[in-house]
PDB file of all heavy atoms in Angstrom:
ATOM      1  N   THR A1484       8.124 -88.912 -50.662  1.00 75.00           N
ATOM      2  CA  THR A1484       8.490 -90.228 -50.153  1.00 75.00           C
ATOM      3  C   THR A1484       8.016 -91.357 -51.058  1.00 75.00           C
ATOM      4  O   THR A1484       8.127 -92.515 -50.694  1.00 75.00           O
ATOM      5  CB  THR A1484       7.922 -90.445 -48.734  1.00 75.00           C
ATOM      6  OG1 THR A1484       6.514 -90.239 -48.752  1.00 75.00           O
ATOM      7  CG2 THR A1484       8.568 -89.507 -47.749  1.00 75.00           C
ATOM      8  N   ASN A1485       7.473 -91.054 -52.242  1.00 63.00           N
ATOM      9  CA  ASN A1485       7.150 -92.119 -53.180  1.00 63.00           C
ATOM     10  C   ASN A1485       8.413 -92.527 -53.923  1.00 63.00           C
ATOM     11  O   ASN A1485       9.500 -92.002 -53.692  1.00 63.00           O
ATOM     12  CB  ASN A1485       6.053 -91.670 -54.150  1.00 63.00           C
ATOM     13  CG  ASN A1485       6.441 -90.414 -54.917  1.00 63.00           C
ATOM     14  OD1 ASN A1485       7.538 -90.325 -55.448  1.00 63.00           O
ATOM     15  ND2 ASN A1485       5.542 -89.447 -54.962  1.00 63.00           N
ATOM     16  N   ASN A1486       8.283 -93.460 -54.862  1.00 55.00           N
ATOM     17  CA  ASN A1486       9.471 -94.003 -55.529  1.00 55.00           C
ATOM     18  C   ASN A1486      10.265 -92.958 -56.298  1.00 55.00           C
ATOM     19  O   ASN A1486      11.469 -93.096 -56.494  1.00 55.00           O
ATOM     20  CB  ASN A1486       9.063 -95.142 -56.472  1.00 55.00           C
ATOM     21  CG  ASN A1486       8.568 -96.358 -55.723  1.00 55.00           C
ATOM     22  OD1 ASN A1486       8.946 -96.574 -54.572  1.00 55.00           O
ATOM     23  ND2 ASN A1486       7.734 -97.157 -56.350  1.00 55.00           N
ATOM     24  N   ASN A1487       9.591 -91.937 -56.787  1.00 50.00           N
ATOM     25  CA  ASN A1487      10.277 -90.906 -57.551  1.00 50.00           C
ATOM     26  C   ASN A1487      10.688 -89.708 -56.703  1.00 50.00           C
ATOM     27  O   ASN A1487      11.206 -88.734 -57.224  1.00 50.00           O
ATOM     28  CB  ASN A1487       9.384 -90.415 -58.699  1.00 50.00           C
ATOM     29  CG  ASN A1487       9.131 -91.498 -59.731  1.00 50.00           C
ATOM     30  OD1 ASN A1487      10.029 -92.264 -60.039  1.00 50.00           O
ATOM     31  ND2 ASN A1487       7.909 -91.578 -60.227  1.00 50.00           N
ATOM     32  N   GLY A1488      10.456 -89.814 -55.396  1.00 51.00           N
ATOM     33  CA  GLY A1488      10.681 -88.679 -54.522  1.00 51.00           C
ATOM     34  C   GLY A1488      12.047 -88.045 -54.603  1.00 51.00           C
ATOM     35  O   GLY A1488      12.160 -86.841 -54.815  1.00 51.00           O
ATOM     36  N   PRO A1489      13.126 -88.828 -54.459  1.00 53.00           N
ATOM     37  CA  PRO A1489      14.451 -88.197 -54.475  1.00 53.00           C
ATOM     38  C   PRO A1489      14.745 -87.425 -55.753  1.00 53.00           C
ATOM     39  O   PRO A1489      15.361 -86.368 -55.720  1.00 53.00           O
ATOM     40  CB  PRO A1489      15.396 -89.399 -54.304  1.00 53.00           C
ATOM     41  CG  PRO A1489      14.578 -90.416 -53.581  1.00 53.00           C
ATOM     42  CD  PRO A1489      13.185 -90.252 -54.137  1.00 53.00           C
ATOM     43  N   PHE A1490      14.282 -87.954 -56.898  1.00 52.00           N
ATOM     44  CA  PHE A1490      14.559 -87.279 -58.159  1.00 52.00           C
ATOM     45  C   PHE A1490      13.740 -86.001 -58.293  1.00 52.00           C
ATOM     46  O   PHE A1490      14.231 -84.977 -58.762  1.00 52.00           O
ATOM     47  CB  PHE A1490      14.288 -88.226 -59.322  1.00 52.00           C
ATOM     48  CG  PHE A1490      15.078 -89.495 -59.242  1.00 52.00           C
ATOM     49  CD1 PHE A1490      14.490 -90.673 -58.810  1.00 52.00           C
ATOM     50  CD2 PHE A1490      16.426 -89.507 -59.547  1.00 52.00           C
ATOM     51  CE1 PHE A1490      15.225 -91.843 -58.711  1.00 52.00           C
ATOM     52  CE2 PHE A1490      17.169 -90.675 -59.455  1.00 52.00           C
ATOM     53  CZ  PHE A1490      16.559 -91.846 -59.034  1.00 52.00           C
ATOM     54  N   VAL A1491      12.486 -86.070 -57.875  1.00 53.00           N
ATOM     55  CA  VAL A1491      11.636 -84.875 -57.901  1.00 53.00           C
ATOM     56  C   VAL A1491      12.217 -83.808 -56.997  1.00 53.00           C
ATOM     57  O   VAL A1491      12.309 -82.623 -57.353  1.00 53.00           O
ATOM     58  CB  VAL A1491      10.200 -85.228 -57.467  1.00 53.00           C
ATOM     59  CG1 VAL A1491       9.357 -83.963 -57.344  1.00 53.00           C
ATOM     60  CG2 VAL A1491       9.565 -86.193 -58.455  1.00 53.00           C
ATOM     61  N   LEU A1492      12.642 -84.205 -55.812  1.00 59.00           N
ATOM     62  CA  LEU A1492      13.187 -83.255 -54.843  1.00 59.00           C
ATOM     63  C   LEU A1492      14.504 -82.675 -55.340  1.00 59.00           C
ATOM     64  O   LEU A1492      14.760 -81.478 -55.192  1.00 59.00           O
ATOM     65  CB  LEU A1492      13.384 -83.964 -53.497  1.00 59.00           C
ATOM     66  CG  LEU A1492      13.630 -83.095 -52.269  1.00 59.00           C
ATOM     67  CD1 LEU A1492      12.557 -82.031 -52.134  1.00 59.00           C
ATOM     68  CD2 LEU A1492      13.664 -83.959 -51.023  1.00 59.00           C
ATOM     69  N   HIS A1493      15.334 -83.512 -55.945  1.00 58.00           N
ATOM     70  CA  HIS A1493      16.600 -83.031 -56.507  1.00 58.00           C
ATOM     71  C   HIS A1493      16.348 -81.959 -57.563  1.00 58.00           C
ATOM     72  O   HIS A1493      17.000 -80.908 -57.576  1.00 58.00           O
ATOM     73  CB  HIS A1493      17.374 -84.195 -57.105  1.00 58.00           C
ATOM     74  CG  HIS A1493      18.677 -83.798 -57.733  1.00 58.00           C
ATOM     75  ND1 HIS A1493      18.766 -83.322 -59.023  1.00 58.00           N
ATOM     76  CD2 HIS A1493      19.935 -83.795 -57.241  1.00 58.00           C
ATOM     77  CE1 HIS A1493      20.017 -83.052 -59.307  1.00 58.00           C
ATOM     78  NE2 HIS A1493      20.762 -83.327 -58.248  1.00 58.00           N
ATOM     79  N   ASN A1494      15.404 -82.206 -58.439  1.00 58.00           N
ATOM     80  CA  ASN A1494      15.109 -81.234 -59.501  1.00 58.00           C
ATOM     81  C   ASN A1494      14.520 -79.948 -58.940  1.00 58.00           C
ATOM     82  O   ASN A1494      14.814 -78.850 -59.428  1.00 58.00           O
ATOM     83  CB  ASN A1494      14.153 -81.845 -60.523  1.00 58.00           C
ATOM     84  CG  ASN A1494      14.819 -82.922 -61.357  1.00 58.00           C
ATOM     85  OD1 ASN A1494      16.028 -82.874 -61.557  1.00 58.00           O
ATOM     86  ND2 ASN A1494      14.044 -83.881 -61.814  1.00 58.00           N
ATOM     87  N   LEU A1495      13.679 -80.075 -57.908  1.00 55.00           N
ATOM     88  CA  LEU A1495      13.103 -78.883 -57.278  1.00 55.00           C
ATOM     89  C   LEU A1495      14.204 -77.978 -56.756  1.00 55.00           C
ATOM     90  O   LEU A1495      14.213 -76.769 -57.016  1.00 55.00           O
ATOM     91  CB  LEU A1495      12.185 -79.300 -56.120  1.00 55.00           C
ATOM     92  CG  LEU A1495      11.749 -78.180 -55.165  1.00 55.00           C
ATOM     93  CD1 LEU A1495      10.787 -77.238 -55.875  1.00 55.00           C
ATOM     94  CD2 LEU A1495      11.119 -78.736 -53.906  1.00 55.00           C
ATOM     95  N   VAL A1496      15.149 -78.557 -56.042  1.00 54.00           N
ATOM     96  CA  VAL A1496      16.220 -77.764 -55.456  1.00 54.00           C
ATOM     97  C   VAL A1496      17.164 -77.237 -56.533  1.00 54.00           C
ATOM     98  O   VAL A1496      17.565 -76.077 -56.523  1.00 54.00           O
ATOM     99  CB  VAL A1496      16.991 -78.594 -54.410  1.00 54.00           C
ATOM    100  CG1 VAL A1496      18.152 -77.799 -53.853  1.00 54.00           C
ATOM    101  CG2 VAL A1496      16.057 -79.009 -53.287  1.00 54.00           C
ATOM    102  N   LYS A1497      17.495 -78.117 -57.490  1.00 54.00           N
ATOM    103  CA  LYS A1497      18.403 -77.711 -58.562  1.00 54.00           C
ATOM    104  C   LYS A1497      17.853 -76.520 -59.331  1.00 54.00           C
ATOM    105  O   LYS A1497      18.569 -75.571 -59.651  1.00 54.00           O
ATOM    106  CB  LYS A1497      18.637 -78.884 -59.509  1.00 54.00           C
ATOM    107  CG  LYS A1497      19.593 -78.591 -60.655  1.00 54.00           C
ATOM    108  CD  LYS A1497      19.772 -79.822 -61.528  1.00 54.00           C
ATOM    109  CE  LYS A1497      20.698 -79.520 -62.687  1.00 54.00           C
ATOM    110  NZ  LYS A1497      20.869 -80.712 -63.569  1.00 54.00           N
ATOM    111  N   ASN A1498      16.567 -76.544 -59.623  1.00 50.00           N
ATOM    112  CA  ASN A1498      15.956 -75.478 -60.418  1.00 50.00           C
ATOM    113  C   ASN A1498      15.836 -74.171 -59.654  1.00 50.00           C
ATOM    114  O   ASN A1498      15.766 -73.100 -60.255  1.00 50.00           O
ATOM    115  CB  ASN A1498      14.567 -75.912 -60.898  1.00 50.00           C
ATOM    116  CG  ASN A1498      14.647 -77.038 -61.903  1.00 50.00           C
ATOM    117  OD1 ASN A1498      15.663 -77.232 -62.554  1.00 50.00           O
ATOM    118  ND2 ASN A1498      13.574 -77.818 -62.009  1.00 50.00           N
ATOM    119  N   ASN A1499      15.823 -74.246 -58.328  1.00 48.00           N
ATOM    120  CA  ASN A1499      15.617 -73.043 -57.531  1.00 48.00           C
ATOM    121  C   ASN A1499      16.886 -72.490 -56.901  1.00 48.00           C
ATOM    122  O   ASN A1499      16.872 -71.417 -56.326  1.00 48.00           O
ATOM    123  CB  ASN A1499      14.601 -73.315 -56.409  1.00 48.00           C
ATOM    124  CG  ASN A1499      13.178 -73.398 -56.939  1.00 48.00           C
ATOM    125  OD1 ASN A1499      12.832 -72.716 -57.901  1.00 48.00           O
ATOM    126  ND2 ASN A1499      12.378 -74.240 -56.333  1.00 48.00           N
ATOM    127  N   CYS A1500      17.998 -73.228 -57.013  1.00 43.00           N
ATOM    128  CA  CYS A1500      19.222 -72.799 -56.327  1.00 43.00           C
ATOM    129  C   CYS A1500      19.708 -71.438 -56.801  1.00 43.00           C
ATOM    130  O   CYS A1500      20.248 -70.663 -56.016  1.00 43.00           O
ATOM    131  CB  CYS A1500      20.332 -73.836 -56.544  1.00 43.00           C
ATOM    132  SG  CYS A1500      20.308 -75.159 -55.323  1.00 43.00           S
ATOM    133  N   ALA A1501      19.529 -71.144 -58.074  1.00 32.00           N
ATOM    134  CA  ALA A1501      20.166 -69.961 -58.649  1.00 32.00           C
ATOM    135  C   ALA A1501      19.680 -68.668 -58.018  1.00 32.00           C
ATOM    136  O   ALA A1501      20.401 -67.676 -58.024  1.00 32.00           O
ATOM    137  CB  ALA A1501      19.920 -69.914 -60.148  1.00 32.00           C
ATOM    138  N   ILE A1502      18.486 -68.650 -57.475  1.00 35.00           N
ATOM    139  CA  ILE A1502      17.980 -67.390 -56.936  1.00 35.00           C
ATOM    140  C   ILE A1502      18.304 -67.220 -55.454  1.00 35.00           C
ATOM    141  O   ILE A1502      17.827 -66.297 -54.825  1.00 35.00           O
ATOM    142  CB  ILE A1502      16.468 -67.234 -57.169  1.00 35.00           C
ATOM    143  CG1 ILE A1502      15.693 -68.328 -56.443  1.00 35.00           C
ATOM    144  CG2 ILE A1502      16.128 -67.249 -58.632  1.00 35.00           C
ATOM    145  CD1 ILE A1502      14.193 -68.131 -56.559  1.00 35.00           C
ATOM    146  N   TYR A1503      19.129 -68.133 -54.919  1.00 34.00           N
ATOM    147  CA  TYR A1503      19.629 -67.968 -53.559  1.00 34.00           C
ATOM    148  C   TYR A1503      21.062 -67.447 -53.640  1.00 34.00           C
ATOM    149  O   TYR A1503      21.988 -68.223 -53.865  1.00 34.00           O
ATOM    150  CB  TYR A1503      19.625 -69.290 -52.793  1.00 34.00           C
ATOM    151  CG  TYR A1503      18.295 -69.652 -52.223  1.00 34.00           C
ATOM    152  CD1 TYR A1503      17.352 -70.318 -52.988  1.00 34.00           C
ATOM    153  CD2 TYR A1503      17.963 -69.331 -50.914  1.00 34.00           C
ATOM    154  CE1 TYR A1503      16.122 -70.663 -52.469  1.00 34.00           C
ATOM    155  CE2 TYR A1503      16.738 -69.671 -50.378  1.00 34.00           C
ATOM    156  CZ  TYR A1503      15.821 -70.342 -51.172  1.00 34.00           C
ATOM    157  OH  TYR A1503      14.615 -70.680 -50.657  1.00 34.00           O
TER     158      TYR A1503
END
Side-chain angles (χ1 to χ4, degrees):
T1484 55
N1485 57 48
N1486 292 334
N1487 294 321
F1490 303 102
V1491 174
L1492 194 53
H1493 179 276
N1494 290 332
L1495 167 70
V1496 177
K1497 181 179 179 181
N1498 292 337
N1499 286 327
C1500 273
I1502 63 175
Y1503 278 85

